[in-house]
Structure formats: C-alpha cells, structure tokens
Amino acid sequence: MQKIFFLCIALFLIHINTAAQNCNFNFRGKVTDFHVDTPIIGASIQLLNLNKFTTSNLDGFFEFKGLCEGKIELEIQHIACETRKITIHLKNNLFKEIFLEHHLEELNEVIVTTNTKTTTTSIEQTIKEDVLENYTDKSLGDALKSISGVSSLNTGSTIVKPMIHGLHSSRVLIINNNVRLFDQEWGDEHAPNFDLNSSNRIDVIKGANTLKYGNDAIGGLILIRGKKYAAKDSVFGKSSISLNSNGFGGNINTEIVKTYSTGYYGKFQTSYKRFGDFRAPNYYLTNTGMENLNASLRFGYNSFEKGFEAYYSLVNNNFGILQLSHIGNVNDLVQAINSSEPRNTEDFSHKIENPKQTILHHLGKIEAYKRFKGFGKLSVQYDFQLNRRKEYDLGRGNRENTPVIDLRLFTTSIQPNLHIDFLPNVKFDIGLLGRFQQNNAVAGTRSRPLIPDYEKIDAAVYSIGNYKIDETTEINAGIRYDYSSIDANKTYLLADWKKYNFDQLFPEFEGEIDNTRIKTNPKFTFHNVSASLNFSKRWKNELTFLINYGLGNRVPNPSELYSDGVHHSNARFEIGYLNIKKEIANKFNLSLERKNDDFGFIISPYYKRINGFIQLIPTGITTTIKGAFPVWEYDQVDAQIFGIDIDINKKINSQLDYLGNISLIKGENITQDIPLIHMPSTNFSNRIVYTNKQWHDLTFSLRNTTVLRQNDYPNYNFNTFNPTTQQEVFVDISSPTPAYSLFDFSASATLKTSHKGSLKLEFNIENILNVSYREYLNRFRFFADELGRNLNIKIKINY
C-alpha cells in the first residue's frame, strides 16, 4: 500500500512538471553542402538525448514536432561526410541550417585510411602504421627501403640517408607534420633528424605532385603525417620495447593521447634508443654505438569550420663514427681501402668516443584554418627549426671535447594556403611561402669552417588546379615561382682563391687580404619557375593509369658552393665551387596500378633528364695535420636517370600471401659518356607471409632481399705517391662490391588484455645466415663489412 502511495505521488509530480513545460515546439532544419551550397539528401538526424530520428528530404529539409523546452543534442551523419554533433537550447520554434562537408577527400583527413593518396593523380606509395611499428628501433631510411625504388646512402650502420631513384639529400624533400625539414641535409652522412616512432603514416611521392612543398624535389618527396583524432571523450596510448643482440641495445617508446568531444586533443610521445658497438659476422665495428633521445608534443582543436594545431619535436642524436675510417697517413689509407679485413678491431663497448657526431634538432609549428561557406578553406602555418650539429675528430689531445665542426642552423617560415573547392569538379590551391635561414659556423673549433656563415631568403608563390573530367578521369596541373638569395661570409686561402680562378670570376666578392688569407662576401640570387602536369584514369577492373610530368629547379646548396676542408664524419676532404649553377630537371613518370588484395601490382617506369647535375666525385688524396683523406670535388654535368619499379602482391590462400618487388635503375653522365656515380644496383625482394587471424593474429614471415653487383659505374680510381714506401700506389676507390642475398624471419602474435587493450609479441632474425657482405652505397665499405646476424624481440602494449 505504501509503494502504491509513493508511485501516485511521483506520477502526480511528473504530470505537474509536464504541464508546466511547453512541449509544443517544432524544430525544423536544412542540411546543406558547405562547399557548393546545395541540399544534402538522405542525411540522418538523431536527437541523442530524446531517442528520435529522421532524415533530410529531397530539398535537404527535416522536422521534429512536439519538442519540450530545454537542451537538444543532435548528431547529423551522411555518407562521405564528416559526422557533426550540435547542442541546441530550445526555447521556441526554431529553424537552423546545418552544413556538412560533402567531400570524401576531406573526410580522409579526419579518419586517415592507409590506401588514400595525397592526390588522385599522384604516383606514390604508403607505409602503414603497423609496418612502421616493425622499425621502432631503426631509422627513417631503413623503413623506407621496404618501398620499391627507395634505397639509402649509408655511413656505417646507423647513419642512413633515404634515396629515391638514385637521388638524395637536397633533391629529396622530407616534410614532417607539414614542415619541410632543414637539418644540414646537404651532407651525405647527415641522416634526417626524425623519430620514426612519432609518425603514424609515411607517403613516398615519386612523381611530380610536389609543387606545394617545393620546387626542388627532383628525386621525390617523403611526407610524414600525424593521425587525426575523432571528437570524442577518450584517452588511449601505447608503449613498446625492442631488444637486440647485435649492438646489445634497443629502443623504448611510449605515447598517450587525450581527446575531447568538443574537438580538442593532445598527444605526448617520447622514445629512447641506445646501442653499443655493432658486430660484423667476424669482428666488432669499433665505436659504432649510438644514443638517441626524442620527444614530441601535439595539441589542437579540430571542428568543422575552424581549428588549429601546435606541434613541437625534439631530436637528440649521438652517433659514433667507425674509428677504422679515420686514417693517419697515405700508407694506412691505401692499405685500408685495398684490404678485405680491417687493420685492427677492439672488444665490444657501449662507450661512444671520437670520432662522433652529435645533433640537437628542435622543430615547432602552429597552424590554423578557417572554412568559408561556398568558397573554400584558408590555412596559415608558422614554423621554426633550430639545428645544432657538432662533429668530433680523433687525435686532438686536450681538445677532444672541442668539435672540429660546429654548425647552428636556424630556419623560420610562414605559409598561407587557400583551398578553393566551391565548384563541383574543380579545386584550386593558391599558396605563398616566406622563409628566412641563418647558418652560423660557431667559433672556438680551432678549425677552418667547412660551411661558412650565411643568410638565405626564400619566397615563393604557387597555384595548383585539379579538374575531375568524370568519375574515373582527373587532371592536375600546377605552376610555382621561387626566389632565393644567399649572402655568405667566407675566408679562403689566397692561393686557393687564385687557383680556382675566383679572382677573375668574382672580383666583386673580394674583401680584406690578411697575409695568406682573403675574406670574401659571396652573394647569389636565383629565380626559378617550376611546373607539373598529371593525369589519372581509373577502370572498373580496379586498374589505374597515371602520367606525371614535372619541371623542377634546384639551386646549389651551401656545401656545393662553399665546402673547403675536411668533412670528418665522411672522412674526406671536400671542395665546392662558387661557379656552380642551378640544376634544371625534366621528370616523366608513368604508373599502371591494380589495387586488389587477391592480386595487385604497380608497374612504374620513369625518366629524368637533369641539366647541370651537381655531383661529388673523388679526385685524389691529400694529407693534412689531421691525417690523410681522399679529396672529393663538386662538378656539374648533364645527366639522365631512368628505370622501373615493380610491386606485386598475391593471396595464395586465406592464410598465405606473397609480396615482391624489383627496382632497376640506370644513371648516365651524358657530358662525359660514363655512368653516374653512386647509382643503386638492381635489387629485388620476395616475401611469404602466413597469417592466422583466428588464433591471436599469429603471423610468420620469411623475406629474401637480393642486391646485384653494380656493373655500370664510373672509374675514378687513381694513383698517388706513398711517402712510406716511396712508391706510386693504386687506390681503388670506385670498384663496386659483389652481389649479396640476405634472409630475414619474423613472427608475431597479439593477445587481448582488456576490452580495448592488447599485447603484441614479436620475434625477428635479421641476416639469418650471418652473411659477410659490403654495400656499394655505404661510405665505409672500404673499411669494414656490414652487420651480421641480429636477434630482436619486440613487446608492444596498447591501452
């Protein structure tokens, strides 16, 4: 009886409250395409807190009747649109127009899918997040070598510089979170200062769709992206550890992400890597350890009409340089180059001694965007970078802690971009660039700077258009103008200034003469026009055909203009010349692609004609107070590079897959009718993967990589006088290394630890057969073998 009484009271109170509320309000609305201002048909509109649902009609309108006063939470969805959530306080009858972004490309910026290209007409390949996790203790260059047409220029085993179609350094642009990386990239042994663990996706663009980022991507472009996060209240992260037998070291990485339903998000990531001396199959490689400490921070706000993101990363690298590569005299240098075994080796150590290089790189950016109804999106980005590179040499006595090279490079830029997309089949990007760069050869090294003090100013304007002819055919075209000026202060030996004929070519640069030295102020200005034209055609049988043409210009970098001394990390004497001109490149790329899990392929031939190609070639040996070093000089020739990349994937059955690729490339010095130096040799890879998704996603993989001998190479071998033996000796600095074939094994399984958490265990064996070999594109191939067998264990926790 008492329960019935309280129930009646409750019903009475609810009746009074309902009577007091006005529940006769109507809420009408219209769902509209934000870009082209047209109605969206069939959008679903749900009142989350009232459990009511409707859809928009042929004119985009919808209506809810009989609503009470108060807060209403709406969720609006439509295929190929970004879902929107809106909160409304209903006080009377209301009409509201709701805008959705009805473009799949924009949706893919929010929910990134790994098979989505940057542009439809682009010839590119992507490394997925799950593949990147296999390289947590490796470098960017190591990861990129899994893509056909991408190789690396190595300095030992830890300094790995990516190459695309035989080109590297200033010809390959690296874009980290929409910021072009400037970290003294001109050096062959200057690896990109980037932590692979901070990325979720990497795109390698081999074609000509690069004008937005620069005019000088003659080799290609590496686009490193962060993940976009959904607007919901959540916190998640992952941690991983990697342990290795070779080098007795590994890597620890952790990251945590916090997202909010309001659109705000934040991410913090950090990693630490440490290795001791690595080991070739038969001996330790003395002083090849490394230590890296990295961190990155992202936070921002992402909504439909506006947003911003701030990003900061810190990379702190310490690389040991193989001691065998630094030689005291000509006799030892000749013996080291001509010997198949190192002169001497030492026991394992974690200690990093001279010679070594340390690099500290700061990168920061802030960008914001605003969308305008029926027009497009305006975004503005400001970024800065500070790179401090120090290189240390052997045999400096009480100055062993004083670097012989100490360079501080500051770069800052601002980049507005207007994306116009109000026309149904046409899109435009119009952008500007302003950049200032300052290099400071820090005093106190007691050595002549390899690269002098300079200031560089860049300005650019570009326009890129994309026209969808029909649902299967698109054309993309762009044009870009770049202005560059560089103002340097450099001291030459007076004898060298006259020897290079600079006193006749550049008398306007001359300054004060102090005994045997002359102070100079070289100033250069460059004007460049670049362009691209791209076409894609898709068929219903999943085939796509693409054509890319690009005209690119690259101004000489500071090393090519000003180098004049020992480059210690490379163990050589480098000479640049002020009369070097800009490169002009014409690039042609084709690609026939079939994206299919059962059987897919990519066949991509290419051709590049480069006038004024700048190359660094060996010319002899010189002896300085620091020892004997090969002399390498910059010069210019006309060149052509052509080849083909082929990728194949085949599903053998429901649990077995085959993956393979092959890259063939040929580079020719047209001016001298000889092969180009440092072209990758033909290489191919075959991989068999077994997967059992029903049993903890168990995976086994066996991979074979074969690199053939490079038979097309220029002969820059020379004779030099050996003061120890008092004889002329032959120095073989050009002959390539023999072919080699390596086998790698991988096994992994994933265990569920909670509703959303998991534990992944992975075991890898690299160079299973412990093969002794030398890589043609390793700067230290003259002195030691590559790495022997390595056992690796990885543990990854998602939470």
Side-chain angles (χ1 to χ4, degrees), residues 680-697:
S681 55
T682 297
N683 60 88
F684 53 88
S685 171
N686 296 283
R687 184 182 176 204
I688 294 290
V689 181
Y690 168 82
T691 304
N692 188 338
K693 293 188 177 295
Q694 282 69 43
W695 201 85
H696 303 296
D697 205 13

Side-chain angles (χ1 to χ4, degrees), residues 282-510:
N282 300 312
Y283 48 83
Y284 284 106
L285 303 168
T286 304
N287 199 52
T288 55
M290 62 184 298
E291 184 176 19
N292 309 137
L293 177 63
N294 312 293
S296 64
L297 177 66
R298 290 176 62 198
F299 69 90
Y301 170 71
N302 187 22
S303 73
F304 177 70
E305 294 185 12
K306 58 186 176 182
F308 75 91
E309 178 177 277
Y311 175 79
Y312 169 77
S313 73
L314 169 70
V315 176
N316 191 351
N317 290 329
N318 186 10
F319 296 111
I321 303 297
L322 181 71
Q323 285 187 350
L324 299 173
S325 65
H326 283 232
I327 310 297
N329 55 65
V330 172
N331 185 63
D332 290 345
L333 178 62
V334 172
Q335 286 187 1
I337 291 177
N338 294 335
S339 174
S340 60
E341 294 287 338
R343 293 173 299 137
N344 54 69
T345 59
E346 299 178 8
D347 293 334
F348 173 84
S349 173
H350 270 104
K351 190 174 182 180
I352 300 175
E353 300 181 309
N354 295 351
K356 65 180 181 181
Q357 57 177 240
T358 65
I359 308 99
L360 184 65
H361 190 83
H362 302 269
L363 182 150
K365 77 155 189 180
I366 184 167
E367 75 174 311
Y369 68 86
K370 170 67 177 176
R371 303 182 195 273
F372 298 93
K373 176 186 172 184
F375 184 68
K377 177 173 121 177
L378 175 65
S379 59
V380 180
Q381 174 178 298
Y382 167 78
D383 57 74
F384 74 91
Q385 297 174 74
L386 180 62
N387 182 271
R388 185 73 178 269
R389 165 174 287 273
K390 298 180 182 180
E391 299 183 6
Y392 298 81
D393 192 18
L394 282 171
R396 302 202 86 198
N398 58 6
R399 300 201 305 272
E400 66 176 359
N401 294 323
T402 302
V404 291
I405 292 178
D406 189 352
L407 299 175
R408 176 187 177 275
L409 180 66
F410 173 74
T411 307
T412 184
S413 63
I414 185 167
Q415 303 176 72
N417 183 85
L418 179 60
H419 181 68
I420 303 172
D421 58 3
F422 65 91
L423 297 174
N425 298 316
V426 180
K427 297 179 183 178
F428 285 99
D429 277 281
I430 301 172
L432 301 172
L433 166 71
R435 178 183 295 126
F436 172 77
Q437 193 172 78
Q438 182 184 64
N439 185 73
N440 178 23
V442 180
T445 63
R446 299 189 181 183
S447 298
R448 186 169 53 169
L450 176 67
I451 302 295
D453 293 347
Y454 69 82
E455 291 185 351
K456 188 170 184 284
I457 296 174
D458 296 309
V461 58
Y462 63 84
S463 178
I464 303 168
N466 195 89
Y467 174 57
K468 182 182 286 188
I469 299 174
D470 54 43
E471 290 302 317
T472 63
T473 310
E474 289 190 31
I475 188 169
N476 176 287
I479 188 167
R480 177 180 176 120
Y481 166 77
D482 283 81
Y483 165 87
S484 296
S485 69
I486 185 167
D487 185 345
N489 290 286
K490 180 173 176 60
T491 299
Y492 284 88
L493 291 175
L494 186 58
D496 287 343
W497 183 257
K498 294 182 178 180
K499 173 185 174 182
Y500 303 149
N501 203 32
F502 291 164
D503 58 331
Q504 300 297 319
L505 295 173
F506 307 107
E508 69 275 17
F509 296 162
E510 293 183 348

Side-chain angles (χ1 to χ4, degrees), residues 123-175:
I123 298 177
E124 65 180 74
Q125 289 176 267
T126 297
I127 302 181
K128 303 177 183 180
E129 183 176 3
D130 58 340
V131 176
L132 289 175
E133 290 175 350
N134 298 330
Y135 296 91
T136 56
D137 52 2
K138 305 292 186 182
S139 69
L140 174 65
D142 291 321
L144 292 175
K145 284 192 290 185
S146 62
I147 292 179
S148 63
V150 181
S151 52
S152 66
L153 187 65
N154 291 20
T155 302
S157 57
T158 56
I159 302 174
V160 184
K161 197 172 189 70
M163 301 178 74
I164 302 177
H165 294 160
L167 301 174
H168 58 86
S169 301
S170 301
R171 300 183 185 97
V172 174
L173 276 58
I174 300 178
I175 311 299

Side-chain angles (χ1 to χ4, degrees), residues 41-70:
I41 304 169
S44 66
I45 303 97
Q46 183 178 4
L47 304 185
L48 297 176
N49 55 334
L50 299 179
N51 197 26
K52 291 189 176 185
F53 171 87
T54 189
T55 58
S56 58
N57 62 22
L58 293 176
D59 298 315
F61 291 102
F62 65 89
E63 183 176 13
F64 291 98
K65 296 181 179 181
L67 300 180
C68 298
E69 180 180 354

Side-chain angles (χ1 to χ4, degrees), residues 83-207:
T83 298
R84 292 197 66 186
K85 289 184 179 180
I86 300 173
T87 299
I88 294 174
H89 294 277
L90 193 65
K91 296 181 180 179
N92 44 44
N93 292 330
L94 179 67
F95 175 86
K96 183 175 180 62
E97 188 172 15
I98 300 171
F99 296 99
L100 291 184
E101 191 165 17
H102 195 244
H103 285 293
L104 184 61
E105 297 91 325
E106 295 297 324
L107 174 65
N108 287 327
E109 292 182 5
V110 179
I111 306 173
V112 174
T113 56
T114 53
N115 62 349
T116 302
K117 291 186 174 184
T118 53
T119 60
T120 306
T121 58
S122 177
I123 298 177
E124 65 180 74
Q125 289 176 267
T126 297
I127 302 181
K128 303 177 183 180
E129 183 176 3
D130 58 340
V131 176
L132 289 175
E133 290 175 350
N134 298 330
Y135 296 91
T136 56
D137 52 2
K138 305 292 186 182
S139 69
L140 174 65
D142 291 321
L144 292 175
K145 284 192 290 185
S146 62
I147 292 179
S148 63
V150 181
S151 52
S152 66
L153 187 65
N154 291 20
T155 302
S157 57
T158 56
I159 302 174
V160 184
K161 197 172 189 70
M163 301 178 74
I164 302 177
H165 294 160
L167 301 174
H168 58 86
S169 301
S170 301
R171 300 183 185 97
V172 174
L173 276 58
I174 300 178
I175 311 299
N176 182 7
N177 275 275
N178 211 41
V179 180
R180 178 173 174 176
L181 200 60
F182 286 98
D183 55 353
Q184 309 283 6
E185 69 282 351
W186 45 263
D188 289 349
E189 86 304 347
H190 297 179
N193 290 286
F194 164 73
D195 179 18
L196 203 60
N197 296 283
S198 66
S199 173
N200 300 104
R201 167 180 172 173
I202 299 179
D203 298 319
V204 176
I205 300 176
K206 303 176 184 179

